[in-house]
Every structure is written in C-alpha cells, then in structure tokens.
C-alpha cells in the first residue's frame, strides 16, 4: 500500500506544519529526518547548531511518540537515504517545506528533485515563511506576506504511520561527524517546549521592555524575544508567532501603549525576517558574491589575516568590540546593534571582506539563518549598493549603550579596575596606569590594530568614491528592483539623512 514520506528539515515541529498536514490528509506517512554529515561539515556550521538540532529532534520525536507516531532518523546523503527507503518499500510522494538555505542545501535539493523525477515520486513542497519561491520582483510582496501570516495555523494532525521499514540509526556525536567545535556554555537549548516557554514569557512579560531595551547589550538579552534560534530550526512557525503576538496585543489594556508599541515593533522584525530571507531565495549567489557587482574587488585583495584573527579572538583592544565577542562566545547570541557594530568594525576600520567575517559569525550565532545573515553582512559592509552606509563607532556605541561600563567590565575582567575615564579608550592611558591596573600582565593589547578615526574615514572615502562611479550608480536600479522593499515609510517617523535616503529608495529601516 502506498505511503508518503515527510522529510523534516529546519521545521522541527508538528504544529502549523503544512507538509505534515498534507501528507496526513493524503494517507499513510513516514516521518523522516536525515542527519547529513556533509552538511554539518560545511564552513558555516558549528557544534552548537548540531546540539541544538538534536535537542529539537528529541522533542519532535517525543511529540510524535505521544501521538502514536515515530520518527525515522537516518544518517547519510539524502538521495542515497531516499533510494534505500524507496527500494525497501516504494513511496509515491515526498513532502517537505521549501528551504531557503545555504549553497549546499540548494544543490542537495536540486539532486533530490532529480531523484524524484527518476523514481516517479512527486515532491510536494510548501512555504513555511513569507518567502516566495520563483519571485520575479518585489511588487506586492508585503501584501502577500500579510496574507500568508493571516491564514489559520494548522493544528498538529492525527497520524497514521507505516511501520518503520528500518530502525532509526544512533545519532552520531558532533565529534564523530567532524563538526566545527564551538558550543557556548550558556547558549539557549532547543526544542518546541522551550520555544513555547520563551514565546509566552516574551509576550506576557519581557515585551514591555522591547521598546528602548533592544539596543543596549545590557538590556537586550531579556528585552529581545530570543526566539531567533527557534525560528531558524522551525520549532515554532513564523505565522503562529505573528498570530500569538496579535492576540496578546488585543488583550493588553488600552493604556498599555508601551508594550503594544513594542509588540508592533517586534512584528515589523518578523516581517524583516522574511524580507531578508527573500533576498537569498531570489539570488542564492549573495552568499558569496556582492549583491551589487560594482563593488567586486573592493576588499577582496586586501584581506588582513592578523586583523581578522584579533577580531575573532576578541583581542582588538576596542573594549566594546572585545566584550561583544566574549559574550558571543559564552552565549551564542548578540543583539542586532552589537552584531551590526562588529561587522561595521570589520568592514570599515579593519577593511575586511564580509565573507570570512560572515563565516565566523555564522558559526558563532546559534540562530544562523543564511538568508538574514548574508543579506545583513552585505548591508553592514556596504556592498548591496542600495543601503545607506552604516558605520558604528565602537567608542561612541559604548558611551551610548554602556555609559557606566557595566557590560565591558562584566565581559572583560582585565579592564575591571580601569576607571571610567579610560575604560572605552584604554590605549590612551599613560604607561604607569596600564601597569597599575594590570593591563600588561593580563596581556591586554597595547593599542588597537588601526587608528579608528583615520582608518574609518579612509574606508568611507573608498566606498563612496566607488559609489559615485557612473557604472556603479547605473547598477543600483536593478538591485532595488530585485531586492528593495516597496513598503512606504511614513516620513514623520524618519529624521536623519540616512533614513531619508532609505525612504527615497523605498527601503524599510532594518535597524533598531
Ligand atoms: C551581521 C548580522 C547578522 C545577522 N544574522 C542573523 C542570523 O543569522 N539569524 C537571525 O535570525 N538574525 C540575524 N540577524 C538579525 C538580528 O540581529 C537577530 O535576528 C536578532 O538579534 C535575534 O534576536 P531576537 O530573536 O531576540 O530578536 P528580536 O528583536 O526579538 O526579533 C524577532 C525576530 O525578528 C527577526 N529579526 C530581528 N531583527 C532582524 C533584522 N534586523 N533583520 C532580519 N530579521 C530580523 C528575527 O527572526 C528575530 O528572531 C543578523 C543581524 C546582523 C546585523
């Protein structure tokens, strides 16, 4: 008797799972997850992602068992795994969500599509976010996003499985697979149950701090939703988060405008989630190639390995930068503004290409989502050709968002004794004070790798010089057409030149 295979990928849940629901309506089904050794050995993966995924898988497996179902876990290359299953018991349809992943998963999916064609298996794929496949341009995109998130969420279906054709294989360890070892001690833990608890806590309590709380690295860890790794692994659907948020907004007392506005700002970010992912979906090459080709050659040939190493080690000598790296290494998370600042420091004063910086951060961010990540890397590095230049000065950011130095002192024990006046620019301290506060003994860098102001000025000049060239200016319209948002930005809410520029181009303000 025929059956369908539901292939779980980055959609590790039973609720609002279009592929699972469709398969359950069509008849008997087999739930499959494939651990792909080659995927986990890619340069953008690290062991924290693997451990998080296993936690989600355990939770999914428990939920299935609770409903009388079973999850088959196989290890190998998907075409080989599907072929083996098909030989043992031929199936007629494969069900999954569309995935906007990295270049590896894109090629793998193309190979699976060819295999399905050869075997006469129908592959039914369903969107799980507002990202639209085979989109030709961005006209009407925002309205389609709204109609996607407004559709009713699908309940977890009742399952009539087939007996597993083969037993599940034992889940290999990250070491056995050869995954890049990076597993921060205080990272978030995976699984839908944890995701629901984080969502509830945010909607009911923490969202009251969202407005005004998400920029400082001190308040952001609790003011932000912290839902990103659960979205990346698909423990929650984007739609159920949007709908739960709207329900919570409706429940709030009328006078609670602060929390309501916070939740509205949060929904805007869920919109950006798909807006940015759409860029990679529409142009997968932006994972490794400049979004605007006119910027090719800008930084490629001047890569400074020692400066990248200092940044990755959190030893630049700019306290806020190094404190952020320390927090990232401990938690696997940073708020938007601090991520943007790290990339800005890499791209401007250090003049590093976004690709190696992006690979490092992809491994370091537990919530690594290729579509958001590579689009943001390019935007913060000035290679999209359509966004205003964003340069974050790490000394000014420290003064604005950590005025008492609590964040810096917390993450950098070497600077704990340093008085406020020197804290954000310790290289300006006289030698005897460096001695007194133990900076040399702690191995604190004598000075940053470059002089901040002059290096940043030179970098901006080079970028703007290129931007003014007629060929580069001419190339902008095509990028706007392909990737730019068509959303109107209310003028009254925009103040400075950068935002006016964004508005002129009809782009959303992807900033906090
Ligand atoms: C260089 C750089 C790289 C980034 N890489 C990633 C990444 O790999 N994965 C990722 O999820 N986010 C990424 N972001 C966006 C943002 O920093 C994170 O989504 C956010 O910090 C996650 O924490 P949160 O869920 O508590 O955020 P919240 O503020 O609570 O936001 C809720 C959700 O909205 C989405 N979101 C928030 N901000 C943005 C944004 N600026 N652009 C697009 N979507 C957004 C995310 O899905 C997030 O989970 C990156 C930002 C920068 C500057």
């Amino acid at each position: 008797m025929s059956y369908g295979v539901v292939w779980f990928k980055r959609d590790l849940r039973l609720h609002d799972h279009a592929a699972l629901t469709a398969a359950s309506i069509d008849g008997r089904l087999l739930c499959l997850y494939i651990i792909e050794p080659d995927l986990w050995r890619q340069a953008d993966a690290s062991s924290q992602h693997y451990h998080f995924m296993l936690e989600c898988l355990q939770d999914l497996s428990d939920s299935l068992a609770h409903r009388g179902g079973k999850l088959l876990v196989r290890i190998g290359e998907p075409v080989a795994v599907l072929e083996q299953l098909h030989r043992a018991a031929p199936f007629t349809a494969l069900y999954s969500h569309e995935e906007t992943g990295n270049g590896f998963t894109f090629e793998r999916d193309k190979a699976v599509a060819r295999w399905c064609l050869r075997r006469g298996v129908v592959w039914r794929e369903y969107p799980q976010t507002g990202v639209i496949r085979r989109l030709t341009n961005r006209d009407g995109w925002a309205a389609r996003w709204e109609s996607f998130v407004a559709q009713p969420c699908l309940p977890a279906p009742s399952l009539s499985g087939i007996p597993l054709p083969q037993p599940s294989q034992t889940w290999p360890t990250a070491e056995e697979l050869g995954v890049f070892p990076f597993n921060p001690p205080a990272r978030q833990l995976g699984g839908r149950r944890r995701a629901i608890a984080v969502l509830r806590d945010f909607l009911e309590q923490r969202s009251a701090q969202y407005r005004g709380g998400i920029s400082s690295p001190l308040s952001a860890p609790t003011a932000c939703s912290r839902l990103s790794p659960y979205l990346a692994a698909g423990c929650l659907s984007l739609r159920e988060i949007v709908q739960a948020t709207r329900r919570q907004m409706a429940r709030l007392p009328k006078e609670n405008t602060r929390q309501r506005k916070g939740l509205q700002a949060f929904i805007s970010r869920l919109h950006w989630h798909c807006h940015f992912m759409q860029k990679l979906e529409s142009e997968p090459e932006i994972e490794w190639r400049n979004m605007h080709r006119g910027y090719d050659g800008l930084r490629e040939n001047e890569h400074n390995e020692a400066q990248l190493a200092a940044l990755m080690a959190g030893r630049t000598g700019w306290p806020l930068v190094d404190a952020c790296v320390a927090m990232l290494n401990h938690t696997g998370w940073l708020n938007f503004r601090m991520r943007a600042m790290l990339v800005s420091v890499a791209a401007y004063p250090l003049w590093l290409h976004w690709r190696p910086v992006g690979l490092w951060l992809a491994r370091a961010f537990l919530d690594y989502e290729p579509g958001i990540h590579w689009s943001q890397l390019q935007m913060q590095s000035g290679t999209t050709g359509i966004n205003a230049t964003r340069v974050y000065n790490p000394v000014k950011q420290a003064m604005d968002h950590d005025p008492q130095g609590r964040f810096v002192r917390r993450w950098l024990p070497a600077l704990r004794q340093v008085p406020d006046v020197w804290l954000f620019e310790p290289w300006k301290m006289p030698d005897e004070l460096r001695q007194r506060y133990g900076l040399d003994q702690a191995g604190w860098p004598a000075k940053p790798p470059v002089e901040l102001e002059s290096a940043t000025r030179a970098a901006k000049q080079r970028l703007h010089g290129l931007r003014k060239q007629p060929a580069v200016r001419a190339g902008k319209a095509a990028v706007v057409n392909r990737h730019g948002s068509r959303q109107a930005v209310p003028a009254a809410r925009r103040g400075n030149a950068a935002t006016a520029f964004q508005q002129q181009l009809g782009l959303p303000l992807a900033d906090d």
Side-chain angles (χ1 to χ4, degrees):
M1 194 173 151
S2 77
Y3 68 102
V5 170
V6 181
W7 179 16
F8 285 87
K9 298 201 265 180
R10 291 197 297 132
D11 48 2
L12 302 176
R13 62 177 185 276
L14 302 180
H15 289 76
D16 202 28
H17 195 297
L20 181 65
T21 302
S24 73
I25 291 167
D26 289 354
R28 297 193 317 154
L29 57 90
L30 175 75
C31 293
L32 171 71
Y33 184 86
I34 306 173
I35 297 179
E36 302 167 69
D38 287 346
L39 173 63
W40 291 105
R41 283 195 284 264
Q42 294 298 302
D44 55 2
S46 67
S47 53
Q48 65 168 338
H49 301 133
Y50 185 65
H51 289 295
F52 188 87
M53 185 280 293
L54 291 186
E55 288 150 15
C56 298
L57 212 55
Q58 185 60 59
D59 190 282
L60 178 72
S61 178
D62 293 348
S63 304
L64 271 167
H66 193 66
R67 293 169 172 269
K70 269 195 177 143
L71 180 68
L72 178 67
V73 177
R74 306 294 298 168
I75 301 152
E77 187 263 315
V79 167
V81 169
L82 293 171
E83 175 68 22
Q84 222 182 21
L85 282 178
H86 194 263
R87 274 209 196 135
F91 51 92
T92 46
L94 178 66
Y95 300 82
S96 75
H97 277 123
E98 290 169 350
E99 183 174 0
T100 306
N102 60 10
F104 179 90
T105 61
F106 187 35
E107 292 306 320
R108 168 259 264 158
D109 282 356
K110 286 196 274 190
V112 168
R114 287 193 295 271
W115 177 85
C116 286
L117 217 59
R118 279 200 305 276
R119 290 285 171 265
V121 170
V122 182
W123 187 5
R124 299 192 200 286
E125 287 187 279
Y126 302 84
Q128 70 161 336
T129 65
V131 173
I132 301 163
R133 198 148 268 192
R134 286 177 275 281
L135 189 72
T136 48
N137 72 48
R138 283 297 191 108
D139 294 347
W141 187 89
R144 287 172 75 177
W145 184 88
E146 186 49 50
S147 113
F148 176 84
V149 297
Q151 283 160 30
C153 288
L154 301 163
S158 56
L159 303 166
S160 76
I162 64 151
L164 294 185
Q166 296 140 12
S168 270
Q169 290 173 290
T170 314
W171 305 352
T173 64
E175 293 75 28
E176 283 163 351
L177 284 178
V179 190
F180 183 90
F182 177 80
N183 193 17
R187 70 164 168 82
Q188 289 173 267
L189 299 175
R192 181 172 168 87
R193 274 172 288 199
R194 289 194 179 96
I196 289 172
V198 172
L199 174 63
R200 281 211 185 114
D201 182 44
F202 173 69
L203 291 181
E204 288 164 18
Q205 307 288 333
R206 294 182 292 111
S207 55
Q209 311 307 320
Y210 197 77
R211 266 174 84 86
I214 64 174
S215 292
S216 165
L218 284 165
S219 48
T222 48
C224 291
S225 72
R226 308 303 305 274
L227 288 168
S228 51
Y230 302 110
L231 270 165
C235 303
L236 295 168
S237 79
L238 181 95
R239 179 163 39 210
E240 68 179 319
I241 299 177
V242 173
Q243 294 187 6
T245 307
R246 288 182 173 160
R247 281 197 300 275
Q248 176 65 8
M249 286 168 77
R251 273 197 295 266
L252 287 174
K254 222 167 120 204
E255 58 279 9
N256 193 347
T257 48
R258 181 184 163 88
Q259 193 164 2
R260 186 174 301 104
K261 282 185 177 169
L263 289 173
Q264 193 54 57
F266 169 68
I267 290 181
S268 304
R269 278 156 183 85
L270 297 173
H271 179 102
W272 295 349
H273 168 100
C274 306
H275 167 74
F276 282 95
M277 282 177 68
Q278 183 70 57
K279 294 174 198 253
L280 187 70
E281 173 67 33
S282 299
E283 190 176 0
E285 296 80 10
I286 64 166
E287 185 186 342
W288 60 84
R289 206 172 72 180
N290 288 330
M291 195 178 284
H292 188 316
R293 304 301 304 278
Y295 292 84
D296 286 1
L298 185 66
R299 298 186 178 94
E300 283 84 342
N301 304 321
E302 294 175 48
H303 183 69
N304 186 322
E305 197 56 45
Q307 293 185 2
L308 176 63
L311 180 65
M312 288 167 49
R315 304 298 275 175
T316 63
W318 290 306
L320 186 62
V321 172
D322 296 343
C324 283
V325 174
M327 173 171 155
L328 188 55
N329 287 339
H330 191 72
T331 64
W333 185 86
L334 272 181
N335 60 322
F336 172 82
R337 182 165 284 260
M338 294 302 116
R339 293 183 197 209
M341 183 204 61
L342 281 188
V343 176
S344 163
V345 164
Y348 294 100
L350 298 183
W351 201 244
L352 295 168
H353 193 276
W354 51 266
R355 176 72 188 163
V357 175
L359 282 176
W360 159 55
L361 291 175
R363 293 189 296 268
F365 293 155
L366 179 63
D367 58 26
Y368 172 53
E369 176 63 65
I372 302 177
H373 191 71
W374 295 112
S375 307
Q376 282 287 352
L377 254 294
Q378 293 222 33
M379 186 161 90
Q380 307 301 338
S381 304
T383 53
T384 64
I386 59 171
N387 301 103
T389 313
R390 291 140 190 270
V391 179
Y392 296 80
N393 176 323
V395 178
K396 181 177 180 305
Q397 291 297 314
M399 288 170 178
D400 290 350
H401 299 295
D402 185 27
Q404 280 105 38
R406 279 167 44 220
F407 179 76
V408 162
R409 288 196 178 91
R410 174 170 176 207
W411 291 104
L412 300 177
L415 299 186
R416 276 191 193 146
Q417 306 305 320
V418 174
D420 289 0
V421 64
W422 306 110
L423 187 62
F424 301 143
E425 298 176 289
W427 60 92
K428 293 186 175 169
M429 224 182 326
D431 283 350
E432 65 271 23
L433 289 186
R434 274 186 70 89
Q435 287 292 335
R436 187 190 306 165
Y437 299 122
L439 266 62
D440 293 329
Q441 296 89 310
W444 182 258
K447 58 179 180 147
V450 295
E451 199 280 314
L452 188 63
E453 277 80 16
S454 56
T456 305
R457 201 176 320 115
K460 278 161 85 172
Q461 273 165 5
R462 288 180 75 176
L463 188 79
H464 292 160
L466 191 58
R467 181 168 289 178
K468 279 188 201 134
Q469 288 184 7
V472 175
R473 288 165 75 107
K476 201 163 86 177
V479 185
V480 172
N481 185 46
R482 195 166 198 181
H483 297 298
S485 164
R486 305 296 193 268
Q487 248 190 335
V489 184
R493 295 217 318 266
R494 312 292 176 233
N496 61 36
T499 57
F501 180 73
Q502 292 281 93
Q503 188 189 352
Q504 218 180 337
L505 294 175
L507 295 170
L509 287 170
D511 204 339
D512 58 351

